[in-house]
Amino acid sequence: HVQLVESGGGSVQSGGSLRLSCTSSGASVSDFCVGWFRQAPGKEREGVAVIGTDGSTTHADSVKGRFTISKEKVRHTLYLRMNSLKIEDTAVYYCALDLWSGARCRLDQQNFNYWGQGTQVTVSA
């Protein structure tokens, strides 16, 4: 049984930084395509960034240059470093795991099989 647990969310002022973490059990984030998604109030969930088994990454245009996805094999942990946060980044952030895509990891939530419970990120002026 795969479980994903996010942490690191919180409240920050615009321009600030946060680092989200996602630890896995039952499957290692190192062995699969994994990613971050977010859902703002009243909006649909959207992709933020993904990282494949070969280490290749894809970031949404809205976060390019500000957010960085990475993973640490030893700790079975996925990270999302978020810099220069904007008010519009306020959302619940979810990590997710895709069992099948491997290196062909895409920012498509339909491909993801397991999801964490989410962690709230709130950015204020």
Side-chain angles (χ1 to χ4, degrees), residues 3 55 84:
Q3 285 191 310
S84 302

Side-chain angles (χ1 to χ4, degrees), residues 87-99:
I87 292 174
E88 52 263 42
D89 294 319
T90 295
V92 177
Y93 284 72
Y94 300 90
C95 69
L97 184 146
D98 172 350
L99 290 173

Side-chain angles (χ1 to χ4, degrees), residues 1-56:
H1 179 63
V2 177
Q3 285 191 310
L4 303 170
V5 179
E6 302 97 336
S7 61
S11 297
V12 64
Q13 288 190 321
S14 179
S17 298
L18 284 173
R19 188 181 75 163
L20 304 183
S21 301
C22 173
T23 56
S24 65
S25 60
S28 174
V29 297
S30 301
D31 298 332
F32 296 94
C33 161
V34 286
W36 290 97
F37 297 80
R38 67 185 181 185
Q39 187 166 22
K43 294 187 177 181
E44 293 187 353
R45 189 166 58 190
E46 64 177 1
V48 176
V50 296
I51 183 166
T53 52
D54 61 349
S56 60

